[in-house]
Amino acid sequence: MRFVHTADNHLDAPVSSLPPAKAAMRRHMRLQSFSKIIDYTIQNADMLLISGDLFHTPNPPKSVFSFCVKEFERLGDIPVFIVLGNHDYLNPNLNFPGNVHVFGSEFETASYKNCLITGVSFTSPSASFANTIPSAKNDSDSILLLHGDIFTQSDYNSMNKDTLASLGYTYVALGHIHEFYKYKTIAYPGCHDGSGFDEAGEKGFIYGTISEGKLSTEFISSSSLLYRKESFDVSDFSSSMAVADAIMEKFPDGIYKFSLTGVPSELFTPNIEAIESYISHKFFHATVTDETGISANLSDSMLYKLFCEYVNENAKGDIALLSLRYGTNAMKGDEM
Ligand SMILES: [Mn+2]
């Protein structure tokens, strides 16, 4: 049995840290990334598993819901098994196509080919299933599909990962955490494509196979553009254009928060607005902040920390900037 496991798609979610026109484009890109997961499933898998928060709200906008229905219809006979999470908890008014099975408010077990799939859905923004999760039946490959939290005690179906792993399921397909995580037979795929800097880095889904009790999984990227926070050292630069060129040379397209660090010579102060405007030709979106004057190499030194704090408390503007530069350059020469 070959499966694709995705979760936390939040298809109708707003995206953050972008101006309105780009935010609209970004929302569209996230839908396209979801379509790519459907393409991948058609080409490679026997079923699609969705572990909750497919939508951001229990009542997604009609346009997003009908997009989703069309995507599921493209799967033809390939079944989709869905549990609902704390964002898209059970809404009986949503009509999915016939190949889609949405688990209800009580644990139930569906079967497909030689595999049993057990799951339960949230019916409100909070839930707790930990004490009622059934054990697997031993004589068959089995999947447990759940939305919940194995990292903290929360209102979102908190569970113990070792308990989950001991229930006998071949695979435990979880959702809720927006970051890929795997432990024994348990995995979170994370969200499929970032919607803000709290979802920075590579995002994707899990492709897996199970056969006679054996599990293998791999993480596959489905993110279009990555949200990334990057610092860029401008110590060796003497013009804003050169900084902009070097940033564009170094980083691929994406959505960025760049912070300029390092200690440039006293003669050069980066022009943040000019750099931002120049690099905007290459990146979908990028903002730049000036954190120059402080050396990353010295940041472990207690004396250096005290020095930086003292300057920040006692000086402003150019005086603060130059004090940091002279002081940092002086300390760089010392063995610290
Ligand atoms: Mn959730």
Side-chain angles (χ1 to χ4, degrees), residues 114-159:
N114 297 320
C115 187
L116 299 175
I117 304 104
T118 298
V120 68
S121 281
F122 277 52
T123 54
S124 73
S126 66
S128 175
F129 305 121
N131 297 323
T132 56
I133 305 171
S135 293
K137 297 197 176 75
N138 285 333
D139 51 358
S140 176
D141 283 331
S142 57
I143 291 171
L144 178 63
L145 197 60
L146 280 176
H147 195 78
D149 184 354
I150 61 168
F151 294 105
T152 60
Q153 279 302 321
S154 68
D155 293 336
Y156 310 117
N157 183 31
S158 286
M159 300 171 289

Side-chain angles (χ1 to χ4, degrees), residues 177-256:
I177 304 299
H178 291 196
E179 183 99 18
F180 171 76
Y181 175 83
K182 185 159 189 294
Y183 174 76
K184 296 182 178 173
T185 53
I186 300 167
Y188 287 97
C191 57
H192 77 288
D193 201 2
S195 64
F197 283 97
D198 53 345
E199 295 175 351
E202 200 78 46
K203 298 296 173 188
F205 61 91
I206 290 169
Y207 172 72
T209 57
I210 50 181
S211 169
E212 293 170 6
K214 287 216 161 43
L215 168 72
S216 84
T217 59
E218 65 181 297
F219 174 82
I220 295 180
S221 169
S222 56
S223 38
S224 44
L225 290 178
L226 307 192
Y227 281 82
R228 293 171 69 176
K229 288 182 187 171
E230 298 285 348
S231 60
F232 188 81
D233 191 318
V234 298
S235 300
D236 298 329
F237 288 84
S238 54
S239 89
S240 294
M241 283 306 125
V243 169
D245 282 335
I247 288 176
M248 291 192 292
E249 171 94 29
K250 179 167 181 188
F251 297 98
D253 193 11
I255 301 165
Y256 287 92

Side-chain angles (χ1 to χ4, degrees), residues 8 10 53 86-87 147 176:
D8 299 289
H10 293 257
D53 291 357
N86 57 303
H87 280 273
H147 195 78
H176 186 60

